[in-house]
Amino acid sequence: MHHYLFSLIFFAALLGAVNTVAAVPEAATDFSRAQLYEHLPGGAGSSGKRGKNAFLQPAANLSFANKLDFKIGESIFAKFWVFSPSSTQASDGLGPLHNARSCMGCHIRGGRGHVPEGNWPIDNAISMLMRLSIEPQNEQQRALLASGEVPFIAEPTYGAQLQDFALQGMPAEGRISISYTEQPLTLADGTLVSLRMPSYSLADLNYGPLHPDTKFSVRIANPMLGLGLLEAISERDIMSLAEAQERSAEGISGRPNRVWEHSSQSIVLGRFGWKAGSPSLNQQNSAAFATDMGLSTPLFKDAYQGDCTVAQQQCLQAADGRSAHLGGLEVAQQMSQMLDLFVRNIAVPKRRNVADSQVLAGKKVFYDSGCAGCHQPSFITEQDAADEQAGQLIWPYTDLLLHDMGEGLADHRPEFLANGSEWRTAPLWGIGATAAVSSKTEFLHDGRARNLLEAILWHGGEAAQSRDKIINIDGSQRAALLAFLESL
Ligand code: HEC
Ligand code: HEC
């Protein structure tokens, strides 16, 4: 009897252990050949297509019926919204203030946004945006922030974001003006690199001065691949990585963002956006409709005037696109669902050259330099996720945690628990397809890095040791690391 009980407890403990570690697979130790399934970063849904439409492919394991809905979702993602009133009732309600007319306008071909080339009006900041906020000014704002229900206190006149477009006859809020200072850097082997440090200012502010303590955060649109798989990573696995980092002495200590989930009215783990400020794809997508385009959705029914503030009466009084046949919304329930399905199921492209000797050597540099400490290579997704995402071995190269990245990258602007120098580890899957999708490469939250090496050299804070290793290795090892990243 005693014996039986003992083995039962032992067995339960074993199961418990399996449960907590199984979903975060062991790190690679053998770099002489590729790991099993490493070439399929998006699991069974990985797509064989690369090239300029690499980030618009349906997951390969989507059912036929869902593939049709994916196509409809894609057309909503690409749809150009128009102002109200309009004869095309299913596409109106844009703005009045807005940043773009379509999701695709920023997430270009499903890829990332870019820094405007040259100065306005030659190119405006469509796929780049600026968030605005202030320190809480009174007890009420302090209490609101402390409740965890808002990410920050919006700037009182301009709102949460600067909109650089408006309805005809109504002034836009203003525009972002960027200038760069080149900072030369010599690597240990004599290679000369230059990093461009951005400096942002605002021009043509049409609604008067900003609050004197306004904080800014400039971001380009993230690439859209594999997002449903990131949503299907178990919270338990993300927390176990945070705990393991806390225990280890390597100077890496990621922590989760905790954000307000509107559907459940509760505080949950943040996963999406450059500071992991959004908990789910539905909320992220609905927030984009609201703030970037001024459109109301089932989640944000009152967002039909977008980011207008009480200081912007003309904006508040403009016509909107709500109509009875769309359930009193601008983006009806079904449209929102199809869009979510599309966003959840964009495939991750298969990797290239996984067994190439230079790529494998670069993979070793990646591990030896501590990159994998934050860019967690693989997970097994939750079994109870949607069919296409459930129980998949995936290789996103992120822990979805926030890390202090140092002064160089800091925006000095908090978002929920993320402070002014913390950013979510950016997923690296598909990063080698960036040039093909975007015709050029611009990395990091504000697109300042013009190539992968610059992106690495901007790493500071918890990643400073990692960066220094890359500065100090010889050119052939660095080339191998870049070949590995290009193979992702
Ligand atoms: C004006 C440009 C712009 C438009 C329009 C836009 N986005 Fe975004 N999108 C961004 C930026 C910038 C981010 C990063 C936001 C952050 O860090 O909080 C982002 C982030 C996202 C993410 C999170 C991706 C990740 O890796 O975490 C999703 C999902 C997304 N957008 C979906 C959409 C959808 C769907 C639409 C259309 C309804 C849309 N976006 C419209 C600029 C835009
Ligand atoms: C302490 C955690 C940490 C370590 C260690 C780390 N990174 Fe990162 N990495 C990040 C974060 C956070 C970002 C996003 C920063 C931003 O956008 O400002 C990022 C961004 C990147 C990007 C740009 C991704 C994009 O989509 O724009 C690349 C490339 C990258 N890291 C490669 C590496 C390599 C290679 C190493 C090892 C030399 C490394 N990282 C080490 C946390 C880390």
Side-chain angles (χ1 to χ4, degrees), residues 39-50:
H39 64 296
L40 299 175
S46 306
S47 137
K49 291 228 175 73
R50 292 198 69 113

Side-chain angles (χ1 to χ4, degrees), residues 112 220 222-223 251-253 274 365-366 369-375 399 401-405 409 422-428 431 434 442-446 448-449 451-453 455-456 459-464 466-467 469-470 481 485:
R112 62 187 72 212
I220 59 167
N222 303 91
I252 291 178
S253 56
W274 292 101
V365 175
F366 186 83
S369 309
C371 312
C374 298
H375 294 281
D399 55 9
L401 296 170
L402 298 171
H403 294 273
D404 184 325
M405 295 299 283
L409 286 174
E422 284 176 319
W423 299 96
R424 174 192 74 166
T425 305
L428 299 180
I431 202 157
T434 306
E442 277 169 346
F443 300 110
L444 300 175
H445 64 272
D446 56 6
R448 68 176 72 186
N451 54 50
L452 291 168
L453 180 59
I456 298 166
H459 282 52
E462 294 173 39
S466 253
R467 175 206 56 209
K469 287 196 173 148
I470 305 310
L481 173 65
L485 294 173

Side-chain angles (χ1 to χ4, degrees), residues 109-152:
R109 283 194 286 274
R112 62 187 72 212
H114 63 81
V115 172
E117 261 173 62
N119 272 326
W120 190 86
I122 303 161
D123 191 2
N124 51 38
I126 286 192
S127 59
M128 171 181 250
L129 53 82
M130 183 186 268
R131 295 271 164 76
L132 306 170
S133 56
I134 55 169
E135 288 288 342
Q137 303 292 308
N138 51 44
E139 251 340 289
Q140 195 201 348
Q141 291 182 344
R142 268 186 286 277
L144 181 61
L145 207 56
S147 72
E149 293 183 24
V150 296
F152 48 78

Side-chain angles (χ1 to χ4, degrees), residues 93 95-96 286-287 289-291 293-297 299-308 320 322 329-330:
S286 306
F289 271 130
T291 321
M293 299 195 284
L295 293 163
S296 51
T297 53
L299 189 63
F300 298 124
K301 295 191 171 62
D302 296 332
Y304 49 89
Q305 302 297 43
D307 193 30
C308 303
D320 64 76
R322 287 175 295 168
L329 300 167
E330 292 167 322

Side-chain angles (χ1 to χ4, degrees), residues 99 103 106-107 131 219 222 272-274 284-285 288 292 424:
N99 291 91
C103 307
C106 290
H107 299 276
R131 295 271 164 76
R219 304 179 189 187
N222 303 91
F272 299 105
W274 292 101
Q284 176 74 44
N285 298 344
D292 302 344
R424 174 192 74 166

